Amino acid sequence: AQRVTQPEKLLSVFKGAPVELKCNYSYSGSPELFWYVQYSRQRLQLLLRHISRESIKGFTADLNKGETSFHLKKPFAQEEDSAMYYCAVNHGSSNTGKLIFGQGTTLQVKP
Amino acid sequence: DTAVSQTPKYLVTQMGNDKSIKCEQNLGHDTMYWYKQDSKKFLKIMFSYNNKELIINETVPNRFSPKSPDKAHLNLHINSLELGDSAVYFCASSEHPSGIQYFGAGTRLSVL
């Protein structure tokens, strides 16, 4: 079965420290991976997707098919990065758009 | 203008009641979704409609019935509410089924 695992429920770092939010997936076929973010009192929004290979707000994520991982990284965390982060996988088929989410990781950046 | 809007934002009701949550998107998207976020913040898809046709129907009790009067609206009707239905329900839309999904602000349902 398709599954997305985010092993850390909470990640707490100090401002300026590097951040890595882990995401592993089990999936057959050609997955499309996403990171969504939910800031306090705001709606869930797309942070980045693996096919665009861009850096958003200093965050990057590389799809590692060998390790079936899509970890989210930022070299220097900022207090405004504090939020809930969800990793998600799309079936990749054009027919359904079914997103499977991980359990989410709360990132807390302390001053 | 809010792209994906849900009403109501909060809904408190008694067990056994029937309630509806409405969702509207003004993005011109073809595809809409309903997700449930439980108390542990786990987010799971329930339904998806593309051009008013049901394309995803996860294992959801048949007390939950989505209705899409047009492609800009996807409402969720819940019959005979149970305590376990308490959750935050999110609506989302995308240009097409494999497009980026845009989420509403959520509806917090509390069943007493």
Side-chain angles (χ1 to χ4, degrees):
Chain A
Q2 305 141 358
R3 194 166 56 200
V4 178
T5 304
Q6 293 178 247
E8 302 134 332
K9 198 169 177 179
L10 171 66
L11 184 62
S12 187
V13 301
F14 285 101
K15 178 182 167 182
V19 166
E20 183 179 50
L21 287 86
K22 290 185 167 50
C23 173
N24 288 90
Y25 65 92
S26 65
Y27 190 80
S28 57
S30 301
E32 186 174 2
L33 276 295
F34 303 83
W35 277 98
Y36 277 82
V37 60
Q38 188 174 26
Y39 299 102
S40 179
R41 293 187 171 80
Q42 292 188 31
R43 62 191 64 207
L44 198 65
Q45 57 187 285
L46 179 69
L47 181 62
L48 50 81
R49 57 196 302 197
H50 89 271
I51 59 170
S52 51
R53 301 184 67 82
E54 53 190 350
S55 172
I56 305 290
K57 299 184 179 182
F59 284 97
T60 58
D62 290 318
L63 179 63
N64 186 324
K65 289 186 179 179
E67 294 181 359
T68 59
S69 68
F70 188 55
H71 303 326
L72 183 68
K73 299 176 186 177
K74 185 169 182 175
F76 308 104
Q78 303 299 315
E79 287 180 70
E80 55 266 28
D81 295 329
S82 296
M84 182 79 157
Y85 291 80
Y86 288 95
C87 182
V89 63
N90 189 323
H91 187 277
S93 156
S94 61
N95 293 329
T96 67
K98 179 177 171 180
L99 272 183
I100 295 172
F101 284 88
Q103 303 93 317
T105 298
T106 299
L107 174 63
Q108 185 183 73
V109 182
K110 296 178 285 192
Chain B
D1 282 344
T2 304
V4 182
S5 57
Q6 298 177 227
T7 52
K9 198 169 178 180
Y10 300 97
L11 185 53
V12 181
T13 188
Q14 299 285 333
M15 259 195 326
N17 284 350
D18 303 339
K19 290 293 177 187
S20 291
I21 308 172
K22 295 187 176 182
C23 179
E24 176 181 4
Q25 53 93 4
N26 62 6
L27 297 167
H29 288 168
D30 283 349
T31 314
M32 295 185 73
Y33 312 80
W34 276 110
Y35 289 86
K36 179 180 180 181
Q37 186 182 47
D38 63 23
S39 57
K40 295 181 180 175
K41 303 284 188 183
F42 185 55
L43 201 59
K44 191 167 191 289
I45 190 161
M46 300 172 69
F47 302 103
S48 174
Y49 271 72
N50 186 50
N51 272 322
K52 302 194 297 174
E53 285 194 26
L54 183 67
I55 58 170
I56 296 175
N57 186 355
E58 289 295 286
T59 310
V60 176
N62 57 16
R63 298 182 294 105
F64 290 77
S65 52
K67 283 188 175 49
S68 183
D70 54 63
K71 69 177 192 178
H73 295 84
L74 180 61
N75 303 322
L76 184 65
H77 189 76
I78 317 170
N79 287 328
S80 304
L81 277 155
E82 299 177 358
L83 293 176
D85 297 333
S86 295
V88 181
Y89 292 84
F90 286 98
C91 177
S93 74
S94 62
E95 191 176 353
H96 47 73
S98 58
I100 294 169
Q101 295 184 24
Y102 294 83
F103 283 78
T107 295
R108 184 175 293 276
L109 171 66
S110 299
V111 183
L112 307 176

